[in-house]
Amino acid sequence: MDEVMYGPMQLLVIVFDNPNFHGQIRRELESVMNKGMIRLIDLLFIWKDEAGNIKSLEATQLDEEERMHFGAVVGGLIGYGAGGEEGAIGGTEAGILAAAQENYGITEEDILEITEAIPEGTAAAILIIEHLWAKSLKQAIRDAGGVLVSQGMLTPELLVAVGEELTEAVKFAEKKKKGPQAAVAF
């Protein structure tokens, strides 16, 4: 079988209501990147001050050749999904063009939308990361004939919310059980 080229990728969108940056995010990203756990495909930080002035920072770990290859692969896959083989050709060309313009996944439209959406005095970040640690697992799954059909991220906050919803559902079911019951005619 073909070797896995990329690990699973994840898009993160983060909003900072009261931005208080002291380099802690950069240090943690560098730590996990240096350990070979993730690779930064694209990062965009946007700050909007109280006067509405915008500052931004972009970063990637991709070199020029990787940007072109990544753009072609992603564009081709998206194009194939949208329009079959013909769409794959157009998507590949669009992906190469986007990579040549140093757009690795986050478009100018994305940047404008975020800039307009965040209030003054706040910040936002968009990251596209590749999970390098999962490449060998992905290869093993592929070699065993497996195909990933769904994935998602479970955060502690999500589990708390699910627990709260489950508690409410149980309370509702118990209340319904104890409620007035219809008389049974014999």
Side-chain angles (χ1 to χ4, degrees), residues 43-172:
L43 163 69
L44 172 66
F45 269 111
I46 299 174
W47 295 271
K48 188 186 279 189
D49 69 18
E50 296 298 335
N53 299 311
I54 302 294
K55 292 182 184 176
S56 65
L57 168 76
E58 285 194 78
T60 185
Q61 283 187 293
L62 302 179
D63 62 28
E64 187 173 346
E65 184 178 326
E66 288 174 316
R67 285 194 322 263
M68 297 298 179
H69 188 255
F70 180 79
V73 169
V74 171
L77 290 171
I78 292 170
Y80 183 78
E85 288 183 33
E86 190 175 310
I89 293 168
T92 300
E93 292 169 356
I96 291 170
L97 178 61
Q101 296 171 346
E102 297 188 7
N103 171 351
Y104 325 116
I106 301 171
T107 66
E108 290 296 322
E109 291 82 24
D110 293 333
I111 295 168
L112 288 173
E113 278 184 38
I114 295 165
T115 302
E116 291 173 7
I118 65 173
E120 283 75 16
T122 65
I126 299 177
L127 294 88
I128 299 174
I129 58 172
E130 177 185 8
H131 292 278
L132 298 174
W133 62 269
K135 281 179 71 173
S136 58
L137 175 61
K138 185 177 174 184
Q139 184 67 51
I141 292 168
R142 181 183 281 181
D143 291 347
V147 177
L148 179 65
V149 294
S150 180
Q151 67 179 354
M153 296 295 286
L154 295 176
T155 64
E157 295 83 5
L158 178 61
L159 293 174
V160 167
V162 169
E164 290 170 354
E165 286 183 31
L166 181 58
T167 299
E168 290 302 314
V170 168
K171 285 180 184 176
F172 178 77

Side-chain angles (χ1 to χ4, degrees), residues 181-186:
Q181 297 182 4
V184 181
F186 292 100

